Amino acid sequence: MPPPRPLRLLVITYYWPPSGGAGVQRCLKFVKHLGHFGVEPTVITVDPTQATYPVRDQSLEAEVPAGVRVIRTATSEPFESYKKLTGRAVPYGGFANEGKPGTVQKALRFVRGNLFIPDPRRGWNRHALAAVEKLLAAGEKFDAVLTSSPPHSTQLIGLELKKRHGLRWLADMRDPWTDIYYYKDLHHTPLAAWLDARYERQVLTQADAVLVTSPETKRLFLAKLPDLPSAKLHVLPNGYDESDFQLPSRPPTDCLRITHTGTITELYHINRLLEALATCATRHPDVPLRLRFVGQVSAELRNQIERAGLLPATEFLAFVPHDESVEHLLQATALLMAIPDVPRNFGILPGKVFEYLAANKPILCVGPTGSDADNLLQECAAGHALPYEDYALMLETLETMVAQWRQSPNLDLPAISHKRYSRQALTGRLVEVIKS
């Protein structure tokens, strides 16, 4: 009797190695582990020579399993014109690398928000659709198609394939759409906002399954569309890859180092924590406090660090490959994360939190209590949220950490309960959704 045919999944994602940063991790790790569950993925993505990635990480290409078919297509995007007009790089999510926008940037954001709906990478869609049509015309069969966003324009590829071919379609939405915290900065006219919301509604109602990364995002979508069946939305959080954490933990013995990886701006509202750190450093000069930021840090946040008097104790490192980023986690005493202080932030669950958990370090989380991030940290006994203005609680938490450091510079936590957030376990849950 021949073995059963493997399930075939078509994965459509703009971000794929050599793209770096957070956006590439989710699909890459799914594809890495799908073979363990008898699923054969085919990836449709953009040609990296034409893509506009905010950052690149060549090291991630080694994680693509041998034998996985990756089809790269051309694209048509306006970002070259953007760079020529502004002299700036491609914007990060939330414009984290831009600082206060000037007149030209404001005008270009208006253009982006009103002429490129849902986003400027929509020019890739026709190329990706052509690649899929070529596969289908050749007689290839797929059990399901997964479209991952942002960019949310990618979801319109799935919408079109559903209309043309009736393929089972999973819409994987790593972030909210019209409720993303920087949406107001795009200056949509009423007509543009209506059209964008219409696209969002079509995706949510016509996809066979919608994957979201946090319980609050599921609640948000259900509140917007009360007739949407709750069972259609699946909370499938980001996670960590156990193979990334093979090196031993090496917290420093000569200082108490607090490390943050990824992008952070003044919107993350850590200024009160900086004040508490400065007070703690003054009170306990025998315990050298050090800050390390690995990744994009806004100019205004650097100014806040300087005003707090912490600049001599702070190290700024530019973006590094993912494996080096993990090493920085393991070389920390404690880890810093923050939730942007913006409306509807209870569902913001940064992908980095799962790698923070895998590092088994205490986590200082600045953000709202009762949020999805706060609940996760408490569930795993790795920390709890420190409200943005609660200076007293921040100082108390830091002083406790200092006292523990005096006893031993290794503050690593005992093995905490985070195995269900491994990328392999989460891929198993994805396969259940594909089969359902």
Side-chain angles (χ1 to χ4, degrees):
M1 185 174 180
R5 178 182 69 82
L7 286 173
R8 302 192 71 207
L9 177 67
L10 188 61
V11 178
I12 302 177
T13 176
Y14 186 94
Y15 293 111
W16 188 257
S19 172
V24 70
Q25 294 290 325
R26 187 169 170 92
C27 278
L28 173 61
K29 299 298 187 178
F30 280 153
V31 168
K32 179 178 178 179
H33 293 289
L34 279 169
H36 298 297
F37 298 93
V39 178
E40 179 185 298
T42 293
V43 179
I44 304 287
T45 190
V46 65
D47 183 336
T49 65
Q50 300 183 42
T52 48
Y53 304 138
V55 292
R56 291 178 178 247
D57 185 350
Q58 301 286 346
S59 71
L60 294 178
E61 294 183 318
E63 297 204 35
V64 181
V68 168
R69 180 171 53 169
V70 178
I71 299 171
R72 301 182 182 273
T73 78
T75 186
S76 306
E77 300 172 27
F79 283 110
E80 281 303 318
S81 298
Y82 176 91
K83 288 190 283 187
K84 288 176 182 176
L85 284 168
T86 65
R88 295 172 181 263
V90 175
Y92 282 57
F95 309 104
N97 59 329
E98 290 200 345
K100 189 174 181 179
T103 303
V104 172
Q105 283 174 282
K106 287 180 180 178
L108 289 172
R109 288 185 189 182
F110 178 87
V111 170
R112 179 254 186 258
N114 292 280
L115 298 185
F116 299 97
I117 302 170
D119 53 70
R121 291 185 175 89
R122 184 171 179 171
W124 176 55
N125 287 20
R126 63 185 176 90
H127 302 277
L129 279 166
V132 178
E133 291 291 356
K134 186 176 180 180
L135 294 176
L136 297 178
E140 297 211 26
K141 306 289 186 184
F142 296 95
D143 297 283
V145 55
L146 182 148
T147 50
S148 187
S149 66
H152 291 307
S153 55
T154 302
Q155 300 300 348
L156 303 186
I157 302 172
L159 183 65
E160 188 63 25
L161 290 173
K162 185 70 177 179
K163 289 177 182 176
R164 294 183 189 178
H165 304 287
L167 293 174
R168 176 166 172 75
W169 170 33
L170 284 63
D172 179 40
M173 300 178 70
R174 304 188 308 272
D175 288 332
W177 190 323
T178 59
D179 297 285
I180 194 71
Y181 67 89
Y182 54 82
Y183 197 72
K184 66 181 187 309
D185 296 326
L186 297 173
H187 311 297
H188 293 89
T189 62
L191 178 60
W194 173 85
L195 180 58
D196 208 13
R198 182 171 179 266
Y199 283 143
E200 178 187 43
R201 186 167 61 252
Q202 288 177 320
V203 168
L204 291 172
T205 56
Q206 296 186 39
D208 294 285
V210 177
L211 311 178
V212 295
T213 58
S214 73
E216 183 65 21
T217 304
K218 177 175 179 175
R219 290 189 287 269
L220 174 68
F221 286 146
L222 290 175
K224 297 176 75 165
L225 297 170
D227 294 334
L228 199 64
S230 177
K232 178 191 277 196
L233 276 74
H234 303 264
V235 179
L236 198 62
N238 291 302
Y240 71 95
D241 197 333
E242 290 175 305
S243 65
D244 292 338
F245 289 84
Q246 300 302 309
L247 294 174
S249 174
R250 293 189 291 113
T253 57
D254 59 344
C255 68
L256 195 166
R257 180 186 296 139
I258 300 171
T259 296
H260 178 277
T261 61
T263 299
I264 188 166
T265 75
E266 61 276 12
L267 279 178
Y268 289 69
H269 202 155
I270 66 166
N271 50 303
R272 295 292 279 169
L273 178 67
L274 295 174
E275 293 170 11
L277 280 164
T279 300
C280 203
T282 300
R283 288 186 181 179
H284 307 285
D286 60 312
V287 178
L289 283 172
R290 298 290 183 268
L291 287 174
R292 175 179 285 176
F293 292 90
V294 183
Q296 182 71 32
V297 180
S298 72
E300 176 53 31
L301 184 55
R302 288 173 183 252
N303 291 338
Q304 290 179 5
I305 293 168
E306 184 174 13
R307 288 195 293 270
L310 293 171
L311 205 54
T314 303
E315 182 180 11
F316 298 101
L317 301 178
F319 174 83
V320 298
H322 182 252
D323 54 350
E324 291 183 36
S325 176
V326 170
E327 287 185 44
H328 283 297
L329 300 182
L330 297 172
Q331 293 168 6
T333 310
L335 301 172
L336 168 64
M337 66 174 282
I339 306 300
D341 186 12
V342 294
R344 299 192 183 98
N345 62 354
F346 271 56
I348 296 177
L349 197 56
K352 78 168 116 265
V353 68
F354 300 99
E355 296 195 334
Y356 277 24
L357 290 171
N360 284 344
K361 305 285 182 177
I363 298 174
L364 296 166
C365 174
V366 178
T369 57
S371 63
D372 289 341
D374 183 29
N375 293 338
L376 174 66
L377 293 181
Q378 295 199 50
E379 168 198 328
C380 295
H384 55 81
L386 304 169
Y388 299 107
E389 295 295 338
D390 200 336
Y391 170 84
L393 180 59
M394 292 172 180
L395 185 58
E396 178 186 343
T397 302
L398 290 169
E399 297 240 313
T400 299
M401 192 174 290
V402 165
Q404 293 171 336
W405 190 88
R406 282 199 181 97
Q407 299 298 316
S408 168
N410 187 341
L411 304 188
D412 285 9
L413 302 171
I416 54 182
S417 177
H418 51 57
K419 294 292 185 184
R420 61 189 168 281
Y421 299 115
S422 74
R423 294 287 188 179
Q424 184 161 328
L426 292 166
T427 303
R429 290 173 55 188
L430 170 64
V431 173
E432 291 174 5
V433 177
I434 295 171
K435 292 178 176 179
S436 63

